[in-house]
Amino acid sequence: MNDIIVVIMDNIREIGENINNYEGFDGSVFYDELLSIHSSMRVGGRASVYVEPDNESSFLCAIQQALNNNVPYYILGGGSNLVFADEGFKGIVISTLAFNKIQSGEPVDEGKVVLTCGAGVKTSTLAEYAAEQGITGFTNFAGLPGTVGGACYMNARCYETDFSEAIESVTYLDLSELKNNSGKDAQGAIKVYHNKKEDWSYKASPFMNKDWVIIGVNVHGEKGVKTPNELEMLNEFKVQDRKSKGHFKAPSCGSVFKNNRSFGKPSGQIIDELGLKGAMVGGAKVSDWHANIIINTGNATAKDVKALVRYVQFEVEEKTGFCLEPEIIFVN
């Protein structure tokens, strides 16, 4: 069995070397990369191969190599809403953080401005950029960890505002086309989704449960409603509000469970009323300041986090009948 594992690992490493040596590839390839440093929860083992492409063509090259060689892969954004397994990832992790550019077009339709963002743009950076340009619509996302691609995929919700409300269109890679046609050029599988309101709901998007990889997002705001100084002040207010609520006190994934309106209360309030603040499994703890945040106290493992999530779910269902739905993603 150990011999088989060694052969598989050597094969994955060889594919990583092929990516790195490919004539059209620009970027970096790392081996046995510690994944905890790429997750806001700061847990997780090592990736066999970790690829940081510098541009779209290199990103497509890495994906195509993984698909052509039938190797497990994972597309990683900001890592703010996921927990990697302690055993790591026996495959290739491909980062989208190189897609970190923002461009703004000219105002149209009575001041409406469209911003073109790479999937790897940090959501907080988008809020800062929009404020500097005097563009409204993004202050509620100021200070939010993660990337624009992740906010789109999860339909992030902040201060009663869904990220989908700002989306115009999304550029994505349709992996199903590449899987069904191994000879197809990855560039030909890039498509554009135009926003339809009915496709979105609370923390749910049309990109979930599909083989679609978000590459870029066009979002819109309004220019001329507030000054850059006013918007920067609003951004700072939201950042300070997040800090006051303890969002940055310790490594975490932010909110652990989705809110369900049929429960009549936010998930955090339900957990709090059951006295579960401070509950611990190993180094994972339900924070003392917000019951819907699980933190890493310093030595938590992915196993600890998962066990604590299940414990909270069990206690809530046992005592209230409510089944809490996690919004964090566990990557095995």
Side-chain angles (χ1 to χ4, degrees):
M1 179 64 74
N2 288 339
D3 289 343
I4 294 174
I5 293 174
V6 169
V7 170
I8 293 173
M9 295 295 287
D10 284 347
N11 183 48
I12 294 173
R13 187 182 182 93
E14 182 180 341
I15 294 166
E17 291 171 353
N18 289 341
I19 293 171
N20 200 27
N21 294 328
Y22 187 75
E23 184 178 349
F25 178 80
D26 294 312
S28 302
V29 177
F30 305 93
Y31 305 95
D32 298 322
E33 177 77 356
L34 193 60
L35 290 169
S36 61
I37 64 176
H38 299 288
S39 165
S40 61
M41 184 61 87
R42 294 293 184 261
V43 300
R46 296 180 181 275
S48 307
V49 176
Y50 183 85
V51 182
E52 288 185 348
D54 283 347
N55 49 50
E56 182 179 295
S57 61
S58 298
F59 176 77
L60 297 178
C61 165
I63 288 180
Q64 206 144 31
Q65 282 291 319
L67 289 174
N68 291 348
N69 290 279
N70 199 28
V71 170
Y73 62 91
Y74 188 81
I75 310 300
L76 177 64
S80 64
N81 207 40
L82 55 82
V83 174
F84 285 108
D86 300 315
E87 297 78 16
F89 187 79
K90 304 302 186 289
I92 301 174
V93 174
I94 306 171
S95 171
T96 62
L97 292 184
F99 301 147
N100 58 6
K101 302 292 190 298
I102 304 177
Q103 292 181 317
S104 59
E106 293 298 320
V108 294
D109 298 337
E110 298 181 355
K112 176 180 171 182
V113 177
V114 174
L115 302 177
T116 300
C117 306
V121 171
K122 292 183 179 180
T123 315
S124 56
T125 300
L126 169 60
E128 292 168 5
Y129 179 90
E132 291 169 0
Q133 301 296 314
I135 300 170
T136 61
F138 304 98
T139 55
N140 283 348
F141 299 97
L144 180 70
T147 61
V148 168
C152 174
Y153 179 84
M154 300 297 296
N155 192 16
R157 184 174 177 82
C158 300
Y159 302 100
E160 304 302 315
T161 301
D162 291 331
F163 192 76
S164 59
E165 295 174 28
I167 293 175
E168 284 279 310
S169 62
V170 182
T171 303
Y172 68 96
L173 175 67
D174 188 345
L175 289 176
S176 61
E177 286 198 359
L178 296 182
K179 291 177 180 177
N180 295 330
N181 183 357
S182 59
K184 186 179 181 69
D185 179 58
Q187 193 69 42
I190 293 178
K191 299 183 177 181
V192 177
Y193 162 84
H194 296 281
N195 194 3
K196 296 178 183 177
K197 188 176 181 179
E198 61 269 23
D199 292 343
W200 307 77
S201 58
Y202 171 67
K203 294 193 176 179
S205 80
F207 295 89
M208 292 179 173
N209 304 314
K210 289 189 178 74
D211 269 344
W212 293 357
V213 177
I214 297 169
I215 295 175
V217 184
N218 284 345
V219 294
H220 66 259
E222 281 190 88
K223 195 159 188 174
V225 178
K226 293 185 183 297
T227 66
N229 186 54
E230 288 174 321
L231 291 171
E232 287 167 5
M233 289 176 65
L234 287 170
N235 278 357
E236 183 60 22
F237 175 81
K238 298 300 184 185
V239 170
Q240 292 305 320
D241 185 55
R242 293 182 193 278
K243 288 181 178 178
S244 71
K245 293 175 179 176
H247 287 203
F248 311 120
K249 282 186 179 180
S252 78
C253 286
S255 296
V256 176
F257 300 103
K258 295 180 181 180
N259 291 319
N260 188 325
R261 292 181 180 176
S262 67
F263 296 165
K265 302 174 184 177
S267 296
Q269 185 178 344
I270 295 170
I271 298 166
D272 190 7
E273 290 176 354
L274 294 179
L276 294 175
K277 273 184 180 177
M280 293 186 70
V281 173
K285 179 181 180 181
V286 177
S287 79
D288 297 316
W289 52 87
H290 196 305
N292 198 19
I293 294 177
I294 288 177
I295 63 170
N296 180 351
T297 61
N299 61 345
T301 64
K303 186 177 180 181
D304 294 340
V305 177
K306 183 176 283 190
L308 186 53
V309 167
R310 288 175 174 168
Y311 170 71
V312 172
Q313 284 178 301
F314 174 82
E315 288 294 307
V316 170
E317 187 166 15
E318 182 80 2
K319 294 180 173 66
T320 69
F322 300 146
C323 184
L324 296 181
E325 181 184 356
E327 61 178 272
I328 59 175
I329 298 169
F330 291 93
V331 183
N332 296 314

